[in-house]
């Protein structure tokens, strides 16, 4: 779908046209031109249209040369925030899809900054989940029908400025789409090496890609990552994705990339929807998507993505409960539960990144614990941090990017839960404590105390429901927009 911008005088009101109406049915110029006698506004009043964000009413073949008129709610603010404009863009995409339009005009006469944000929301909502494995499509199923919309033109008084602003946002959308695609891929298609191939594809954008294979992982002392991956026929990988946008020490983003999580020897129960464990790499997907976004818009920021990739499988070579391994930080870890593998690969990746990359700040993201979803529902991802400034910035950006976080405490009392009788630490507790807290405290031990660090537990945020304003019912790509905003530049 192509999105373009035009001056109102260059965009005739014909075909499928969307116009805006604010709260209490306050009309814009294009609406007023189409409703000189107020009859349309009266009709909207009768059907209960208030102009709130997300509202849309379709009128088919109202009068030539219009084929379809869409009235879109713009809300009440004169200077709407970017998040509201993106939601309006998502609602506009849904309305255009419902109309069956091929070419459509959004005659909203917006300032260029507003037009670019609205176009960004439209683009994010335009994503379509993978259908490439379907050999038989049902023409009566709207999810199986290919999208009809080919072009959307948005009116603004400065099309060139809007185009330039949207280009950067569109690069971020492509990073979100990459993360969504990867999260939706079946695990037989996307293993560690296939993920590496996706990383190498970013070299064309100027990203420096370094890959550690199993021998290099062992030589670097990444004993926890090696242990998690040793049960699979598909060996683990550690991937570094570096975007050198400036000369500062890097911001480091670390993603858990378990391409399939069976639980290992501590195999998951049959009611755990194990087929969804193909998405246990959504943290790594967020990181690679963020690097794609940052590189795509040529950000003036130094950022390194670290992907800890492994497949957690049971076999005669798999790690066992009771095994003890030495981590990249030199700490020894007793494995109590092989299904608590995500914190193991993250611990090694964090320690290795802190030692070798000398970051200015470090943030990791993972679908780590089911308990964080029990605590926060699917409304927020959990945020833990050792630095109040970093935490405050992430909370603010998460709200602005519609990827909300809720801060939870890193508590010293959890050390008793992860205390081992034979090693420095154990990877989890047998108790009834919230395991998301224990997991965060476990990771805390692998980060230098003077390094600003945050941990995001995004369990429950990897898939969207049908009500998501910026995503269809698919993988979300959660974290990409947040990390892109954190990188700045």
């Amino acid at each position: 779908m192509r999105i373009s911008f035009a001056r109102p005088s260059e965009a005739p009101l014909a075909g499928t046209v969307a116009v805006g109406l604010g709260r209490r049915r306050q009309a814009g110029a294009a609406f007023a031109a189409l409703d000189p006698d107020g009859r349309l506004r009266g009709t909207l009043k009768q059907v209960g249209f208030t102009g709130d964000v997300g509202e849309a009413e379709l009128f088919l073949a109202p009068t030539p040369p219009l084929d379809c008129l869409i009235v879109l709610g713009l809300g009440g603010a004169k200077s709407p925030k970017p998040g509201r404009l993106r939601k309006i863009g998502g609602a506009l995409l849904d309305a255009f899809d419902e109309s069956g339009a091929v070419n459509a005009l959004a005659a909203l006469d917006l300032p260029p900054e507003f037009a670019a944000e609205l176009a960004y929301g439209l683009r994010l909502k335009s994503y379509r989940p993978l259908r490439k494995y379907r050999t038989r499509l049902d023409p009566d199923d709207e999810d199986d029908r290919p999208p009809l919309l080919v072009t959307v033109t948005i009116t603004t008084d400065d099309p060139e400025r809007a185009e330039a602003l949207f280009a950067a946002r569109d690069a971020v959308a492509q990073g979100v789409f990459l993360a969504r695609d990867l999260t939706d891929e079946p695990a037989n298609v996307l293993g560690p090496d296939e993920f590496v191939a996706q990383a190498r594809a970013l070299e064309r954008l100027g990203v420096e890609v370094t890959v550690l294979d199993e021998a290099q992982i062992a030589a670097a002392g990444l004993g926890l990552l090696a242990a998690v991956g040793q049960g699979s026929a598909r060996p683990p990988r550690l991937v570094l994705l570096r975007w050198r946008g400036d000369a500062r020490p890097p911001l480091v983003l670390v993603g858990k990339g378990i391409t399939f999580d069976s639980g290992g020897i501590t195999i998951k129960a049959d009611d755990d929807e194990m087929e969804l464990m193909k998405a246990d790499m959504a943290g790594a997907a967020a990181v690679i998507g963020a690097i794609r976004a940052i590189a795509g818009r040529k950000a003036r920021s130094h950022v390194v993505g670290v992907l800890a990739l492994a497949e957690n499988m049971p076999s005669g070579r798999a790690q066992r409960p009771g095994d003890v391994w030495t981590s990249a930080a030199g700490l020894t870890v007793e494995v109590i539960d092989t299904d608590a593998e995500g914190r193991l690969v993250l611990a090694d990746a964090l320690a290795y990144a802190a030692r070798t990359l000398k970051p200015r700040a470090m943030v990791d993201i993972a679908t780590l614990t089911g308990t964080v979803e029990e605590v926060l529902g699917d409304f927020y991802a959990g945020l833990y941090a050792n630095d109040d400034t970093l935490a405050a910035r992430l909370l603010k950006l998460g709200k602005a990017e519609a990827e909300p976080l809720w801060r939870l405490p890193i508590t010293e009392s959890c050390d008793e839960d992860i205390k081992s009788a034979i090693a420095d630490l154990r990877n989890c507790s047998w108790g009834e404590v919230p395991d998301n807290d224990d997991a965060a405290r476990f990771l805390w031990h692998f980060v230098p105390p003077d390094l600003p660090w945050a941990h995001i537990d995004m369990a429950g945020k990897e898939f969207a429901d049908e009500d998501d304003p910026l995503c269809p019912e698919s993988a979300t790509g959660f974290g990409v927009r947040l990390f892109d905003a954190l990188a700045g530049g």
Side-chain angles (χ1 to χ4, degrees):
M1 180 185 68
R2 181 174 180 272
I3 299 174
S4 61
F5 303 88
R7 291 178 176 82
S9 60
E10 300 167 346
L13 300 177
T16 297
V17 177
V19 293
L21 200 61
R23 190 169 294 161
R24 301 186 184 90
R25 294 176 292 279
Q26 296 172 326
F31 184 99
L34 291 170
D35 188 34
D37 56 7
R39 294 174 61 188
L40 176 58
R41 199 180 314 195
T43 300
L44 290 166
K45 181 178 181 180
Q46 288 181 341
V47 300
F49 187 92
T50 63
D52 286 340
V53 171
E55 280 190 283
E57 289 288 341
L58 275 70
F59 298 89
L60 297 177
T63 179
L66 292 175
D67 299 323
C68 177
L69 177 65
I70 297 168
V71 181
L72 194 68
L74 301 180
K78 293 183 178 179
S79 298
K81 293 182 179 180
R84 174 175 290 186
L85 290 161
R86 295 169 194 174
K87 287 182 181 179
I88 294 170
L92 182 61
L93 187 281
D94 287 339
F96 282 151
D97 276 351
E98 186 179 347
S99 74
V102 176
N103 304 296
L105 172 67
L108 302 176
D109 303 348
L110 297 170
E113 295 80 7
F114 293 0
E117 293 292 354
L118 182 137
Y120 183 29
L122 194 149
R123 174 72 83 207
L124 288 169
K125 193 62 184 286
S126 74
Y127 175 81
R128 291 296 177 266
L130 296 175
R131 289 289 185 267
K132 61 185 179 182
Y133 301 113
R134 297 278 292 274
T135 61
R136 298 179 180 179
L137 301 180
D138 182 358
D140 295 324
D141 184 342
E142 64 178 19
D143 291 332
D144 279 355
R145 292 196 295 269
L148 299 175
L149 195 60
V150 176
T151 66
V152 175
T153 302
I154 301 170
T155 58
T156 175
D157 58 2
D158 191 344
E160 293 77 15
R161 171 74 173 153
E163 190 74 52
L165 292 169
F166 175 61
R169 289 157 178 78
D170 203 19
V172 180
Q174 298 313 308
V176 174
F177 289 0
L178 173 60
R180 291 175 181 176
D181 282 348
L182 293 175
T183 304
D184 258 344
E185 281 286 5
N188 63 313
V189 173
L190 185 71
D193 277 337
E194 291 79 13
F195 212 125
V196 167
Q198 293 288 334
R200 291 206 181 280
L202 300 188
E203 290 177 328
R204 64 183 176 81
L205 296 176
V207 176
E208 302 169 23
V209 180
T210 303
V211 180
L212 276 63
D213 62 19
E214 60 267 43
Q216 293 165 312
I217 286 171
L222 300 165
L224 305 182
L225 175 58
V228 171
Q230 72 184 32
S232 173
R234 305 159 93 177
R237 299 287 183 260
L238 188 80
V239 181
L240 307 182
L241 303 166
R242 188 187 294 268
W243 172 254
R244 296 183 189 268
D246 68 14
R248 291 179 297 166
L251 166 68
V252 171
L253 308 173
V254 180
K256 169 191 169 185
I258 302 298
T259 57
F260 187 76
D261 182 18
S262 69
I265 294 294
T266 319
I267 199 162
K268 292 181 182 291
D270 59 4
D271 60 351
D272 277 348
E273 296 184 308
M274 199 189 294
E275 71 276 8
L276 296 181
M277 290 299 102
K278 67 177 186 177
D280 209 22
M281 37 55 69
V287 171
I288 192 175
I291 297 297
R292 167 68 176 83
I294 291 162
R297 64 182 179 84
K298 305 297 183 187
R300 294 186 296 275
S301 185
H302 187 186
V303 185
V304 179
V306 180
L307 314 178
L309 306 175
E311 188 176 57
N312 188 24
M313 298 291 284
S315 73
R317 299 182 61 247
Q319 65 170 337
R320 298 154 291 261
D323 285 356
V324 175
W325 305 104
T326 301
S327 70
L331 295 170
T332 57
V333 177
E334 179 189 11
V335 176
I336 299 298
D337 186 338
T338 64
D339 195 23
E341 85 300 328
R343 67 201 68 183
L344 297 177
V345 303
L346 281 178
D348 260 359
L350 289 168
Y352 179 82
R355 185 178 76 230
T356 63
L357 300 175
K358 309 300 183 189
R360 67 179 186 269
M362 186 160 60
V363 184
D364 73 75
I365 186 167
T367 49
L368 203 62
T369 67
T371 51
V372 81
E373 190 175 1
E374 294 174 14
V375 172
L376 300 176
D378 59 1
F379 302 104
Y380 298 91
L383 171 67
Y384 297 84
N386 67 358
D387 182 87
D388 289 342
T389 301
L390 177 60
R393 181 159 173 74
L394 285 165
L395 289 168
K396 181 179 179 180
L397 293 174
K399 182 178 181 180
E401 296 299 327
E403 294 187 330
L405 309 173
W406 191 274
R407 191 174 183 186
L408 297 166
I410 301 175
T411 54
E412 188 176 347
S413 61
C414 290
D415 284 343
E416 191 64 28
D417 300 325
I418 55 176
K419 182 179 179 181
S420 169
I422 63 170
D424 295 322
L425 299 166
R426 59 182 184 178
N427 72 328
C428 62
S429 168
W430 286 116
E432 297 297 324
V433 296
D435 189 48
N436 47 293
D437 290 348
D438 280 352
R441 183 64 179 184
F442 177 84
L443 295 175
W444 176 89
H445 286 276
F446 296 85
V447 178
D450 59 345
L451 172 60
W453 160 73
H455 160 61
I456 297 173
D457 190 339
M458 61 167 285
K461 300 296 291 181
E462 60 268 42
F463 291 107
D465 59 30
E466 63 182 0
D467 297 324
D468 192 302
L470 297 177
C471 184
E473 202 168 355
S474 70
T476 59
F478 183 93
V480 173
R481 302 196 303 272
L482 172 64
F483 284 163
D484 174 77
L486 181 65

